[in-house]
Amino acid sequence: MSAEKYLPPTAPGRLPLVGHAVPLIRDRLAYVQKLRSYGPIVRMNIGPKPMVVINSHELLHDVLTRHSQHFNKGLLFEKLKLFGGNPLPVAEGKQHLNRRRMMSPALHREQVKGYIEAMRDTVEPFISGWHHHRTIDVCNEMQLMAQGVVMAALFSSTPEPGPAQKILNSVDTVFKAALTHAMVPISALERLPTRGNRRAQAANAVLREAITAVIADHRANPDAHNDLVSLLMTVPDETGGHLSDAEVMAEVTALLAAGSETTAVTLAWLFHELGRNPELERRLHEEVDSVLAGEPITLEHIPQLVFTRRLIDETLRLHNPAWILTRQAISPVELGEFRLPAGTDVMWSPYAMHRDAELFPEPLRFDPDRWLPERPQPPRGAFIPFGVGKRMCIGDQFSLTEAVVITALVASRWRLRPAPGKPVRPVPEITVHPSSLDMIIEVRKPAVVEAAA
């Protein structure tokens, strides 16, 4: 049998020169979902560049676990080097393993428990500054909160509102540039002095300035902090030496960008769904009022907020932030009945997989109770909000805990109502975020307070 017969089939509709770029550009999310109808693995072209799309959750699990040694991070993550350096999300081989070991103590489940007070103290000033009947941009508010939590808990830094917004805008600009470079993978275009490239360079300068100040503070006060930055500065690297300031900056910047963006987008979608589902909102308020009982949120409260956690899991399913992820085969590998030669670019869509009716009944219905233990659960590898295998997101426990804390704190004091105006639609960039999400905040009294009055 020839090698050609082992190659996956090509998706219908390929055009000369542009390949399958037209439907992908027209509606990215609809197209990655349509690709699932073409089989477990299918080939497509973005312009002249061929890609293999993995739709089977079983074969994807093999790529990320059993065959992980045959793959590196791939095209999208290579473009994230725009943030500078070679940090954990894009590092390979021994460097990736060593950096992960360096950072793991600060993000371990037990260590994350110690961040809850910092999370609470960071979020409360944000929501205390809200006003009854004010309209807010929920996505921006959640991004500022999540960014503030990452910086306070992991960097011991609390920027003022103005600089914080500049940092947030800069992360967004660099993310957009990375996606553009991945979707139009022509290296020469990345070096041209276009408006987009100049914006990305300016945004990177803002990020470097902010992180340089964090590192300088840690250098000047080495005994004042016990956080992730301290670990990066003191733990030996893969050579036995210590990371340079430039390497620390790359790791911190990448963690700030990734850690704040995905959590914030998830929270924005969660409050959007609550605004459309008054009964779910009522159940959240009842749980928060009962568990917190008017007291500040603490470690002991987190495992009791079980419905809150199901809301987060269901948001991660229906509105998974990742519409596309990539790998590249660095050696020949067989997946099921197919053979991928070295150099094959691979992509998959958690967003599309989590909306597959064969894996999730009524997939477009927002149903947090699908995660009740007595309900049938999806097959192994079908729900992977943080990935799986050796490159699973290192900050999964931090992100989940942060999401529970923010959801509970907001719900304990406020009710968010949809604002009239533009319909909310998903926009697939580096993450799938709402096109616009203005909501009207209404003050509420916890039930325990009302009962005592």
Side-chain angles (χ1 to χ4, degrees):
M1 185 177 289
S2 69
E4 180 65 29
K5 291 186 178 180
Y6 284 97
L7 292 174
T10 300
R14 178 182 176 184
L15 298 175
L17 300 179
V18 298
H20 300 87
V22 173
L24 190 62
I25 292 171
R26 184 181 297 128
D27 192 334
R28 295 170 183 170
L29 296 180
Y31 192 61
V32 294
Q33 291 176 86
K34 184 177 181 181
L35 285 170
R36 297 188 65 81
S37 67
Y38 299 140
I41 304 183
V42 63
R43 283 186 293 168
M44 63 171 287
N45 282 72
I46 303 176
K49 190 166 190 64
M51 300 283 293
V52 167
V53 182
I54 300 181
N55 296 317
S56 160
H57 63 279
E58 295 101 331
L59 295 181
L60 177 59
H61 191 268
D62 285 346
V63 169
L64 300 178
T65 57
R66 190 159 63 95
H67 294 312
S68 62
Q69 74 275 16
H70 294 288
F71 295 91
N72 64 21
K73 291 290 281 184
L75 183 64
L76 178 60
F77 292 93
E78 179 68 23
K79 301 309 177 184
L80 287 174
K81 288 185 178 181
L82 277 170
F83 280 112
N86 199 34
L88 180 68
V90 298
E92 300 289 355
K94 290 183 179 180
Q95 185 187 54
H96 171 265
L97 179 62
N98 185 267
R99 296 292 170 87
R100 193 175 181 95
R101 286 173 175 168
M102 291 175 69
M103 298 170 69
S104 288
L107 294 165
H108 188 272
R109 182 189 301 269
E110 291 305 311
Q111 183 67 23
V112 167
K113 292 177 181 178
Y115 297 143
I116 292 173
E117 183 177 344
M119 292 177 178
R120 180 192 68 217
D121 292 347
T122 302
V123 172
E124 284 186 335
F126 280 98
I127 62 175
S128 295
W130 290 355
H131 300 285
H132 185 56
H133 278 170
R134 175 187 165 198
T135 299
I136 60 169
D137 178 341
V138 174
C139 222
N140 192 71
E141 292 289 320
M142 295 301 152
Q143 285 177 306
L144 286 171
M145 281 188 216
Q147 176 179 279
V149 165
V150 170
M151 296 191 74
L154 301 180
F155 309 161
S156 303
S157 174
T158 52
E160 293 296 318
Q165 186 69 57
K166 285 183 66 176
I167 293 170
L168 180 61
N169 294 342
S170 298
V171 168
D172 187 55
T173 297
V174 177
F175 268 147
K176 287 180 178 178
L179 180 64
T180 299
H181 293 172
M183 297 301 294
V184 187
I186 302 173
S187 298
L189 296 179
E190 299 172 22
R191 296 188 292 270
L192 295 176
T194 63
R195 179 181 298 179
N197 287 343
R198 291 197 303 270
R199 284 178 177 168
Q201 291 167 3
N204 247 326
V206 171
L207 292 173
R208 285 195 299 272
E209 181 180 356
I211 303 305
T212 295
V214 171
I215 295 172
D217 177 59
H218 281 68
R219 293 283 186 211
N221 304 282
D223 299 323
H225 308 296
N226 180 24
D227 56 19
L228 180 64
V229 179
S230 303
L231 270 179
L232 290 170
M233 294 172 68
T234 57
V235 176
D237 67 7
E238 61 271 16
T239 69
H242 292 91
L243 300 185
S244 67
D245 281 4
E247 289 172 313
V248 174
M249 180 182 297
E251 296 294 351
V252 171
T253 305
L255 185 65
L256 173 62
S260 55
E261 172 75 10
T262 52
T263 305
V265 167
T266 300
L267 288 166
W269 283 119
L270 187 154
F271 284 104
H272 169 64
E273 290 293 348
L274 290 175
R276 301 197 301 176
N277 293 274
E279 174 60 18
L280 296 181
E281 181 189 59
R282 181 193 63 77
R283 290 173 62 187
L284 170 64
H285 290 164
E286 283 186 355
E287 177 175 87
V288 169
D289 293 350
S290 173
V291 171
L292 299 188
E295 298 296 322
I297 191 168
T298 64
L299 171 62
E300 288 69 29
H301 294 131
I302 302 300
Q304 300 177 57
L305 294 166
V306 291
F307 182 68
T308 306
R309 174 59 189 271
R310 292 206 304 274
L311 284 169
I312 293 164
D313 285 344
E314 181 65 349
T315 307
L316 286 167
R317 183 198 67 81
L318 183 60
H319 299 288
N320 190 274
W323 73 276
I324 179 176
L325 292 171
T326 62
R327 291 288 189 272
Q328 184 181 66
I330 56 176
S331 57
V333 58
E334 292 191 7
L335 297 176
E337 62 183 294
F338 306 107
R339 176 181 295 163
L340 306 184
T344 301
D345 283 295
V346 171
M347 64 169 271
W348 70 96
S349 174
Y351 182 93
M353 184 168 71
H354 290 173
R355 289 174 169 233
D356 191 322
E358 293 186 6
L359 303 175
F360 299 92
E362 298 183 85
L364 300 185
R365 181 180 172 220
F366 186 80
D367 178 18
D369 288 339
R370 74 171 71 240
W371 301 108
L372 286 167
E374 60 267 25
R375 296 269 292 268
Q377 296 301 298
R380 179 189 182 207
F383 180 60
I384 50 170
F386 296 98
V388 70
K390 67 181 182 181
R391 303 208 72 130
M392 181 177 176
C393 175
I394 193 174
D396 60 329
Q397 293 303 313
F398 186 96
S399 179
L400 287 169
T401 303
E402 174 189 10
V404 169
V405 169
I406 293 177
T407 301
L409 287 176
V410 171
S412 69
R413 298 182 58 177
W414 302 99
R415 175 178 286 113
L416 275 63
R417 290 280 175 259
K422 298 178 182 178
V424 178
R425 58 182 179 81
V427 178
E429 295 180 327
I430 282 291
T431 58
V432 184
H433 63 82
S435 54
S436 62
L437 187 54
D438 288 342
M439 300 189 78
I440 301 167
I441 48 181
E442 297 178 357
V443 68
R444 63 173 293 268
K445 290 184 179 180
V448 290
V449 175
E450 292 175 348

